[in-house]
Amino acid sequence: MNAPSSNESSSQRLLVGVSGGIAAYKAVVLVRRLVEAGCEVRVVMTEAATRFVTPLSFQAVSGHPVRTTLLDAEAESGMDHIALARWADAVVIAPASADLMARLAAGMADDLLTTLCLATEAPVHLAPAMNRQMWAHPATQANRALLVERGVVMHGPAAGAQACGETGEGRMLEPGAIAEALLQSPARDLAGQRVVVTAAGTREPIDPVRFLANRSSGRMGFAIAAEAARRGAAVTLVAGPSALPTPAGVERIDVETAAEMQAAVESIESMDLFIGAAAVADYRVAEPAASKLKKTGEAVSLELVPNPDIIAGVAARAERPFVIGFAAETDDLREHAAAKRVAKGMDLICANEVGAGKGFDRPDNALLLLWEGGEHVLAQAGKERLATRIFDTYHQITQVSDDASS
Ligand code: PMT
């Protein structure tokens, strides 16, 4: 989310979802606050929400027509629901009823709002509001925990007097508090840290015009470098051949072979965090030919010799950074990745299935993150979104070890 601090104007594109509950009237105030702060806001209401507040109220404060149904031919011919899901920098559902949370947790797409939540790569924020017993119910708490595990950000609920006459936890946070949280600066949680990222594949020459290579586009590593820079780190990206532009605020060193990548990484003496997303060739041709190999009609064989392992070298440094690596596997993902993490001395490994159109050279991916004593399953998502989850996990791990050592 490219959000400036709350006392500046914001240019965020926010999709505000409103589900059915008495707190829906407060969402009108929320939308107004967000629009006043400079956000562009589109509102989507569930059918139940329209029983509490009319779409016209939200249209008046947002300045845009409100969408309430998935199968609306006229609205879909403008910005269809997939385009709307992609348009949003963030999705904010306020109020989020118990029913809506259950449907999100179950991965349902039975109305426009839940469909958008499945289709978006943007962060999803929920401001729950419900009766205190409904909030405390184990089913709701299990849904909350599952949604948080998947990266949903919860705002509240608050405790206090409820519309039903009871008192307890379940009130929606006040619109001002939700707006303030949404308008805060993006996390600068890597400020002061030196981060080195490798990306893309290497090319190992056979002769002056031919090489051994792989299908890595660099997308994953470039997305990681971009996210680290957004979070305030000083980032060096050591990149194999890639057509991608250098992310803003990132220093880029272009290399071609594994040996050049290793030399570039070794030239960086001090780093806090190393992330090896590059698909480094495990082998190179022992003696590349000085001239173009001639076609003889006979079978030829190439002698391959192992390349140095870049990530293992970084992990073996006397003053080692936190080391994150990847595992690209076609089978037995978990077992191979777990063994690779230990063998190369990584703190965290991001395992992906590759081959058959998976992992390499595509905008999205699914990852299994493994570290000592923990794991996260990251469902299929854009590589930008995966990059944010990798840094969130890095903070989770380093915070736990900080707490343990203090
Ligand atoms: O670039 P994209 O098109 O976006 O595709 C992304 C990706 C599939 C390349 C990426 O998600 C990925 O899996 N990168 C690592 C690919 C790889 O080389 O995996 P590996 O299992 O062979 O290597 C394990 C780890 O050791 C990797 O972190 C690798 O960078 C590192 N390594 C490998 C060999 C070597 N000589 N030196 C290394 O540092």
Side-chain angles (χ1 to χ4, degrees):
M1 236 197 303
N2 298 320
S5 65
S6 52
N7 50 6
E8 293 173 47
S9 73
S10 170
S11 56
Q12 285 186 83
R13 294 182 297 194
L14 298 177
L15 189 81
V16 175
V18 186
S19 66
I22 183 63
Y25 78 90
K26 291 189 190 174
V28 179
V29 182
L30 172 64
V31 170
R32 189 167 172 183
R33 291 265 170 100
L34 295 171
V35 170
E36 281 170 356
C39 300
E40 197 183 332
V41 179
R42 300 292 169 99
V43 178
V44 170
M45 301 175 77
T46 63
E47 209 276 321
T50 63
R51 308 285 181 92
F52 291 90
V53 185
T54 67
L56 204 55
S57 306
F58 285 106
Q59 177 169 329
V61 288
S62 70
H64 294 283
V66 171
R67 292 211 41 190
T68 56
T69 53
L70 181 57
L71 305 172
D72 177 337
E74 196 183 329
E76 286 284 300
S77 68
M79 195 193 293
D80 69 36
H81 64 278
I82 298 295
L84 192 56
R86 290 198 182 130
W87 166 88
D89 291 325
V91 177
V92 189
I93 304 183
S97 64
D99 174 69
L100 186 102
M101 287 177 61
R103 288 188 292 128
L104 287 181
M108 291 175 75
D110 56 347
D111 64 8
L112 178 60
L113 188 51
T114 49
T115 303
L116 287 167
C117 289
L118 277 189
T120 191
E121 285 178 4
V124 176
H125 300 250
L126 297 189
M130 65 197 75
N131 164 271
R132 67 179 176 85
Q133 267 165 341
M134 292 171 74
W135 174 250
H137 194 285
T140 307
Q141 288 306 309
N143 291 335
R144 179 198 58 79
L146 184 57
L147 291 168
V148 169
E149 161 68 23
R150 289 186 192 147
V152 170
V153 185
M154 293 286 168
H155 300 271
Q162 301 203 287
C164 54
E166 298 184 9
T167 303
E169 202 179 2
R171 277 169 64 95
M172 189 173 100
L173 276 193
E174 291 307 317
I178 301 171
E180 197 178 329
L182 293 170
L183 297 169
Q184 263 167 13
S185 302
R188 303 275 296 169
D189 51 14
L190 293 177
Q193 296 210 27
R194 182 115 175 73
V195 177
V196 177
V197 183
T198 65
T202 59
R203 285 180 181 172
E204 307 301 324
I206 296 170
D207 68 16
V209 294
R210 302 183 179 98
F211 50 80
L212 298 174
N214 59 64
R215 297 179 191 279
S216 173
S217 61
R219 278 186 167 118
M220 188 69 246
F222 278 60
I224 288 171
E227 179 62 16
R230 247 193 310 274
R231 290 178 179 229
V235 185
T236 304
L237 174 64
V238 182
S242 169
L244 296 173
T246 309
V250 168
E251 184 197 337
R252 175 172 175 174
I253 303 174
D254 284 313
V255 297
E256 194 158 310
T257 63
E260 287 169 13
M261 187 171 273
Q262 185 196 34
V265 169
E266 281 189 347
S267 72
I268 305 167
E269 278 173 18
S270 126
M271 56 180 97
D272 302 294
L273 173 57
F274 177 82
I275 307 178
V280 186
D282 288 324
Y283 293 91
R284 67 179 185 281
V285 176
E287 285 185 32
S291 318
K292 185 178 169 221
L293 293 173
K294 294 281 179 239
K295 181 175 169 185
T296 62
E298 300 294 316
V300 289
S301 35
L302 294 171
E303 189 193 350
L304 301 179
V305 293
N307 271 328
D309 199 287
I310 300 169
I311 205 162
V314 173
R317 287 185 180 197
E319 287 192 22
R320 75 192 289 279
F322 189 95
V323 176
I324 302 178
F326 278 71
E329 308 292 343
T330 50
D331 42 60
D332 299 325
L333 182 71
R334 177 184 292 272
E335 293 69 26
H336 286 148
K340 212 170 254 185
R341 186 185 77 77
V342 175
K344 299 197 184 208
M346 301 177 200
D347 297 292
L348 167 65
I349 194 158
C350 312
N352 47 177
E353 279 184 19
V354 294
K358 288 187 260 182
F360 282 86
D361 197 17
R362 48 179 301 149
D364 56 356
N365 201 3
L367 293 174
L368 168 66
L369 271 44
L370 300 174
W371 65 96
E372 178 78 53
E375 67 173 65
H376 277 330
V377 177
L378 305 186
Q380 195 78 20
K383 286 179 177 171
E384 294 74 16
R385 174 91 186 113
L386 293 173
T388 71
R389 300 295 308 280
I390 291 169
F391 286 113
D392 292 344
T393 305
Y394 161 67
H395 282 299
Q396 183 187 336
I397 300 169
T398 50
Q399 230 158 346
V400 170
S401 50
D402 279 357
D403 290 351
S405 61
S406 62

